[in-house]
Amino acid sequence: MSTYKNVSDATRNDDDDVFRDDEIPQDQDAVVSSSSININNEEEEELHYATNVRQVVLSKFVICQVIINTLGSFIGPLITFYCLFGLLSQGPYDWNGSQLIGVVIGSLVGSPLFIFALMPVGIPEALKNGWFYKLRVDDVHPKWFLCVFPFLCNDKRIWRFSTIRNCMLGLICGIVYVPVAILIARYGFGPTLSTWELIFFNVIYLVCLAPPITIFGLVGYAMEQNINVIVAKMNNNPNPYQRVLRRIVVSIGMTLCC
């Protein structure tokens, strides 16, 4: 009887051991599965990062925006300047008149504000689909980029405001664009310009200004400290119409209120 009891106890203990042995692999599988999910999430998150400025500049989102904004900088100003300088007034115009100098200087602020007024609307989806990238300050090469475009740095809170960044970018481009445009106006077209010469001069000036403004402005948006704010503010309503509408309101608000 004692022998039978000992055998039964041994069998029960063996069964318990088997049960516990069955549980251990399940727990291990759960840990491994959780670790795999975390690793996959980290890898997926890392895919959203560019390793250099060139990768951001050549991204699909940036290329599409350059094309769209360049075409828009031709069509929109052509109609506007025709109404202003062809219908409401008539030439000839002086090369140093407000109709030319005003556009050349004013566009340094106006062009970036118009180009980026609605830009944040599509950034979350572009980032998610791999059309756009985040960029860390440490990955900005060559380092003189940080000196030429100080808004790429993360050392001052003022660069978190998109309007300040965009206006600063326009002023930086103006160091090259303004003197070159004035010299061409004076010695290439001046001392006076006809109505259509003035219109096309202003239009071509804006067309040439659009690519660098778009490219380097989007590099500023791609900086990790800036794009995280944009993604956080953009509405993710499942209804696409409401989502786009709310994003437009927020985007314009970010432009008007920095």
Side-chain angles (χ1 to χ4, degrees), residues 31-227:
V31 172
V32 172
S33 177
S34 177
S35 300
S36 300
I37 292 174
N38 292 333
I39 292 174
N40 290 335
N41 289 337
E42 291 176 359
E43 291 178 348
E44 183 179 354
E45 180 68 18
E46 196 65 24
L47 291 176
H48 295 160
Y49 282 88
T51 57
N52 52 63
V53 175
R54 183 174 180 271
Q55 189 175 354
V56 175
V57 172
L58 296 180
S59 64
K60 295 179 181 179
F61 185 71
V62 173
I63 293 174
C64 289
Q65 290 301 322
V66 169
I67 295 173
I68 292 172
N69 290 322
T70 301
L71 292 175
S73 296
F74 178 83
I75 298 173
L78 179 62
I79 298 173
T80 302
F81 293 146
Y82 174 73
C83 294
L84 291 176
F85 307 133
L87 297 179
L88 298 181
S89 61
Q90 293 291 329
Y93 298 96
D94 294 332
W95 71 272
N96 58 352
S98 60
Q99 297 87 349
L100 189 147
I101 301 297
V103 171
V104 169
I105 297 178
S107 297
L108 300 178
V109 174
S111 181
L113 294 182
F114 276 107
I115 286 176
F116 293 106
L118 300 178
M119 188 70 70
V121 172
I123 286 181
E125 279 71 25
L127 184 65
K128 180 179 179 181
N129 295 322
W131 281 42
F132 195 49
Y133 303 98
K134 296 180 181 181
L135 184 65
R136 299 183 180 92
V137 176
D138 294 338
D139 293 328
V140 176
H141 301 290
K143 290 302 181 183
W144 56 261
F145 266 29
L146 299 176
C147 297
V148 177
F149 306 106
F151 53 83
L152 300 181
C153 299
N154 192 24
D155 56 346
K156 295 181 180 179
R157 187 175 182 275
I158 191 174
W159 302 129
R160 303 290 74 74
F161 301 108
S162 60
T163 301
I164 303 297
R165 292 199 311 271
N166 297 335
C167 291
M168 183 64 182
L169 174 59
L171 295 177
I172 293 172
C173 291
I175 296 174
V176 175
Y177 274 72
V178 171
V180 171
I182 292 177
L183 288 174
I184 293 175
R186 172 63 181 86
Y187 296 104
F189 293 88
T192 60
L193 291 80
S194 66
T195 297
W196 281 106
E197 284 178 340
L198 176 70
I199 291 173
F200 276 109
F201 180 89
N202 288 339
V203 169
I204 297 302
Y205 173 79
L206 288 175
V207 168
C208 294
L209 188 62
I213 291 291
T214 304
I215 291 173
F216 293 108
L218 281 174
V219 172
Y221 276 90
M223 299 308 296
E224 184 179 33
Q225 64 272 12
N226 298 329
I227 198 170

Side-chain angles (χ1 to χ4, degrees), residues 116-126 162 221 226-237 242-255:
F116 293 106
L118 300 178
M119 188 70 70
V121 172
I123 286 181
E125 279 71 25
S162 60
Y221 276 90
N226 298 329
I227 198 170
N228 288 338
V229 175
I230 295 173
V231 173
K233 286 187 176 183
M234 291 296 104
N235 184 274
N236 290 315
N237 191 300
Q242 294 183 15
R243 180 172 66 247
V244 171
L245 182 61
R246 292 179 181 180
R247 286 187 180 185
I248 289 175
V249 173
V250 172
S251 183
I252 294 176
M254 292 173 63
T255 301

